[in-house]
Amino acid sequence: MGELILNGLFAVFDPANLVSIFVGVAVGIVMGALPGISVTLAVALILTFTFGMGPTPALFLLLGTYVGGIYGGSISAILIRAPGTPASAATVADGYALARKGRAGEALRIALFASTIAGIFSAFILLFLAPQLAKVALQFGPPEFFALALFGLTIISNVSGDSVVKGVIMGMMGLFVATIGIDPIGGFPRLTFGITNLQGGVSLIPALIGLFAVSELVNRAQVAHLEVEEENTVTDTKLPFSTAIRHLKTALKGSAIGTFIGAIPGTGSAISAFISYNEAKRASRNKEEFGKGSLDGVAAAESGNNGVTGATLIPLLTLGIPGDTVTAVMLGALLIQGLIPGPQLFMDHADIVYTIMVGLIFVNIVMYVMGRFAVRLFARVTSVPINLLIPLLLILSFVGAYAVNNTVFDAKLMMLFGLVGYFAPKYGFPVTPMLLGIVLGPIAEESLRQALILSDGSWGIFVTEPIALVFILLALASFTLPLLKPYFSGNR
Amino acid sequence: MRTVSSKRREQLISFLVILMGVGLYLFTSYQIEVEERITGLGPAFFPKFVSISLMVLGGFLLLKTFMSNLPGGEVSESPTDEDPSSTGERIWAGALVFIITVAYIYAIEPLGYVLASIISMTAIMWILSVRKWYFYLILVAYVFVTQYFFETVMYIQLP
């Protein structure tokens, strides 16, 4: 392991990797700072640029965008009270209050300090925990993988919308979409409607760009004509190191919360930011300052959201289960590069995996350097009008969908998924489980059929195999507990 | 807030989910008929499994709407509950942007990437109330830069 880490460290300094990291972080901060551009949208669109790259530069570009984007969201949250990403929603109250007091520079710097601490903490946990988990996961067979896929689907449905049933319905729809194309076991073309382009299945990239980018851009188009009412400039108030270090405890606590929550599939940075913020408020001696301009509040929220960045990669790399929507996009990137996430990845491509994990630490350091010296520059992007961005991003969406297979058909598919992504949430159906269904579909189908073939068609195999049983029970609990909660709380 | 109309809407949605499950099941049976005779775990197995799951989940959703006291039976706000005009939203702008983007995708093969992008996106910018002339110049420059980048640097031939 030590040798792999050392090799990974050297590989990070390969010029192509370095350029990818710097560009990724810069693009991430800029896109994260743009109000209304989520990190998912940013990563989905940046994915377009990775098609011609090698695996490590491609993943560094995406990781840079991811990490930079989460931090970038705090810039617009602090300066114009518009969180660039949902993850920065918890930063708004204190960050904006500080900016109104002429302390925007301090708020931005404490956000950067806490984000970096949390990002590095999370990356270290990933580096040391993921290989151990992968070793355990190597023992998994078809029943375990099917149970795991089912668990991933239910837990994401659970947290991504108001109704767990609607979430699972969307997940099932995703699974159905994933069955289009050649049958993975028999090689028989299925549900292709006679369309040649569908024989290879529905490509993940057009689906995710449609679900997350096109739908979001159409939503933004409805309010693009509205003027942003308030704007703060970066009054460059310094944050002495002695002051920053006083918030280290909060940042470390937020890092631990973010890392723990991020490692659970389906949670995400917005949830961890709020939990971290609430915990900091609960533990603080100056509770009354929270919401009125507390540096501790900003540190807690930002460490909470950046703490997930490394942790969400744990289930992705070790089990092939994306922890959130952004890592689902990264899963797409890995597949494009011919890398199949899961325990076998640590055996077959250990060099690449360790380079990515070590590189994530470096990505956070680059984010700190960029944020430290270019914060004024990044702050200016908050004034870029959204009505100019929408057409530019629509063009990028088209190219992203088109470039996967060099066919306009995929762009048409993207628009179809765009419709789903636009309308489904309006009726309470979350779209993230659908993407997860598309991603997990092949694993779920193959492992279910293989498990049933192994057991001569007996479904008992999912109960007799202990690990599979645990995941099945967790999936059941994840599905039923939210439905039973009102009974327990007496709130019927 | 639970209202009769939103309850009916939820019932309709549940019914549509069940119908979709039935439709997908029948379509799967029709499409993969030959292979299904060979083995129960053939290519139609998983799509049918998912279709049946959809029917069951749709039924569950429907049941929840009938049993008003059933836990988790809350219904989400109707999209029409909130008046878009009160929030300044222009639904028609979103719809037009979508329609123009679809037209853009259909026009891109006959017109080519550069021309189709400039025409379609100029129209979108106008709809989105962009009135500063230099933003249109930025758009044109962006189209050429992306074409150069993807074709020359990344070797992706655009239409």
Side-chain angles (χ1 to χ4, degrees):
Chain A
M1 186 175 168
E3 194 185 336
L4 283 165
I5 292 174
L6 209 60
N7 289 341
L9 190 63
F10 284 122
V12 170
F13 291 96
D14 179 87
N17 290 338
L18 281 179
V19 170
S20 289
I21 290 173
F22 275 91
V23 172
V25 172
V27 169
I29 297 177
V30 167
M31 292 188 93
L34 291 166
I37 307 296
S38 68
V39 178
T40 310
L41 173 62
V43 175
L45 292 179
I46 291 303
L47 185 61
T48 311
F49 294 93
T50 66
F51 294 155
M53 293 181 170
T56 42
L59 283 157
F60 280 139
L61 188 69
L62 294 172
L63 283 173
T65 308
Y66 179 28
V67 172
I70 298 264
Y71 161 66
S74 68
I75 297 175
S76 51
I78 290 166
L79 294 180
I80 58 170
R81 202 169 51 176
T85 61
S88 295
T91 311
V92 168
D94 286 297
Y96 185 70
L98 282 165
R100 296 292 285 171
K101 291 174 186 170
R103 295 170 67 195
E106 275 176 81
L108 287 169
R109 286 194 161 88
I110 195 70
L112 180 64
F113 173 75
S115 297
T116 309
I117 295 281
I120 292 175
F121 180 91
S122 192
F124 268 108
I125 298 293
L126 167 73
L127 183 60
F128 291 105
L129 191 66
Q132 312 310 323
L133 196 60
K135 276 182 198 163
V136 177
L138 270 174
Q139 314 300 320
F140 288 9
E144 286 81 7
F145 272 113
F146 174 70
L148 187 65
L150 201 65
F151 169 61
L153 210 58
T154 50
I155 197 161
I156 288 197
S157 305
N158 197 346
V159 294
S160 55
D162 292 336
S163 165
V164 63
V165 183
K166 286 182 176 177
V168 178
I169 286 172
M170 289 302 279
M172 286 293 165
M173 283 171 67
L175 288 179
F176 194 87
V177 169
T179 63
I180 295 172
I182 303 286
D183 164 31
I185 293 179
F188 189 82
R190 299 179 299 187
L191 313 166
T192 56
F193 306 93
I195 301 168
T196 319
N197 284 309
L198 282 178
Q199 290 210 344
V202 172
S203 297
L204 178 64
I205 308 301
L208 74 88
I209 292 178
L211 286 173
F212 293 100
V214 172
S215 59
E216 196 170 322
L217 293 172
V218 170
N219 267 319
R220 298 296 302 178
Q222 295 170 5
V223 291
H225 62 288
L226 300 175
E227 298 284 330
V228 178
E229 286 170 5
E230 293 187 72
E231 195 173 324
N232 283 313
T233 51
V234 184
T235 40
D236 204 4
T237 45
K238 302 287 180 197
L239 181 75
F241 185 70
S242 57
T243 309
I245 212 77
R246 280 210 295 271
H247 302 284
L248 182 65
K249 191 180 160 190
T250 304
L252 282 173
K253 202 192 278 184
S255 308
I257 291 171
T259 305
F260 178 74
I261 290 174
I264 303 167
T267 46
S269 47
I271 298 170
S272 68
F274 277 106
I275 293 177
S276 172
Y277 182 84
N278 286 338
E279 171 52 26
K281 189 178 177 183
R282 187 199 62 76
S284 175
R285 287 177 189 167
N286 306 309
K287 289 185 181 61
E288 69 283 353
E289 272 187 26
F290 279 73
K292 294 172 189 162
S294 163
L295 282 175
D296 225 28
V298 177
E302 284 303 303
S303 56
N305 67 35
N306 266 72
V308 305
T309 51
T312 48
L313 295 178
I314 296 173
L316 173 70
L317 294 176
T318 58
L319 305 171
I321 304 283
D324 60 9
T325 322
V326 179
T327 43
V329 179
M330 290 209 190
L331 191 144
L334 285 164
L335 294 174
I336 286 171
Q337 298 293 337
L339 304 171
I340 300 166
Q344 205 59 38
L345 189 66
F346 282 76
M347 303 296 288
D348 300 340
H349 299 283
D351 50 340
I352 294 174
V353 177
Y354 275 87
T355 305
I356 292 165
M357 293 194 296
V358 174
L360 188 59
I361 299 168
F362 192 70
V363 166
N364 281 283
I365 295 169
V366 169
M367 179 187 77
Y368 183 81
V369 174
M370 281 196 174
R372 181 79 181 79
F373 295 104
V375 70
R376 276 173 172 274
L377 189 68
F378 291 130
R380 297 185 75 167
V381 304
T382 57
S383 56
V384 174
I386 190 77
N387 48 8
L388 169 65
L389 280 172
I390 288 171
L392 305 188
L393 296 179
L394 278 172
I395 290 176
L396 208 54
S397 300
F398 164 77
V399 176
Y402 170 84
V404 183
N405 297 313
N406 275 13
T407 164
V408 175
F409 178 80
D410 279 347
K412 292 173 186 169
L413 266 185
M414 169 189 83
M415 295 309 287
L416 196 64
F417 281 101
L419 269 185
V420 176
Y422 178 80
F423 283 109
K426 295 194 184 302
Y427 293 93
F429 290 88
V431 289
T432 307
M434 186 174 194
L435 178 68
L436 203 73
I438 297 172
V439 167
L440 294 178
I443 307 168
E445 176 175 12
E446 224 174 312
S447 47
L448 174 65
R449 285 167 66 186
Q450 280 174 351
L452 288 175
I453 288 167
L454 282 174
S455 66
D456 290 325
S458 165
W459 290 78
I461 193 167
F462 298 107
V463 185
T464 51
E465 296 292 331
I467 299 174
L469 178 64
V470 168
F471 282 123
I472 294 278
L473 289 175
L474 284 171
L476 274 175
S478 168
F479 182 76
T480 51
L481 282 182
L483 303 175
L484 297 173
K485 199 176 163 189
Y487 280 123
F488 293 118
S489 62
N491 184 26
R492 291 181 56 181
Chain B
M1 200 176 78
R2 192 189 299 276
T3 63
V4 174
S5 61
S6 60
K7 213 172 186 178
R8 279 197 184 147
R9 184 173 55 87
E10 288 297 299
Q11 285 170 352
L12 184 67
I13 289 171
S14 313
F15 190 64
L16 285 175
V17 172
I18 297 170
L19 264 185
M20 189 172 64
V22 174
L24 291 177
Y25 185 88
L26 292 175
F27 180 69
T28 305
S29 307
Y30 167 76
Q31 251 258 325
I32 321 177
E33 193 184 2
V34 180
E35 279 294 305
E36 193 57 18
R37 285 195 212 114
I38 299 168
T39 166
L41 291 175
F45 170 73
F46 195 69
K48 281 184 176 176
F49 171 76
V50 174
S51 311
I52 293 168
S53 303
L54 275 173
M55 288 182 230
V56 173
L57 288 164
F60 195 72
L61 210 57
L62 189 65
L63 200 67
K64 279 190 355 176
T65 62
F66 281 117
M67 301 168 72
S68 56
N69 283 334
L70 193 74
E74 72 276 1
V75 285
S76 50
E77 289 288 319
S78 160
T80 53
D81 285 350
E82 195 179 323
D83 179 15
S85 60
S86 64
T87 55
E89 275 186 38
R90 295 198 306 201
I91 304 285
W92 60 266
L96 271 180
V97 165
F98 187 85
I99 291 165
I100 293 172
T101 311
V102 172
Y104 165 58
I105 286 166
Y106 277 93
I108 208 156
E109 279 184 316
L111 293 181
Y113 170 74
V114 171
L115 202 57
S117 299
I118 291 173
I119 294 170
S120 312
M121 297 306 147
T122 299
I124 287 179
M125 280 171 78
W126 187 259
I127 287 163
L128 298 181
S129 309
V130 175
R131 297 293 179 265
K132 289 176 181 153
W133 62 269
Y134 53 86
F135 280 179
Y136 291 90
L137 276 188
I138 292 173
L139 169 72
V140 174
Y142 177 83
V143 170
F144 281 105
V145 167
T146 46
Q147 189 197 30
Y148 174 81
F149 182 82
F150 283 103
E151 294 197 344
T152 313
V153 181
M154 299 184 69
Y155 304 107
I156 293 169
Q157 203 60 39
L158 296 173

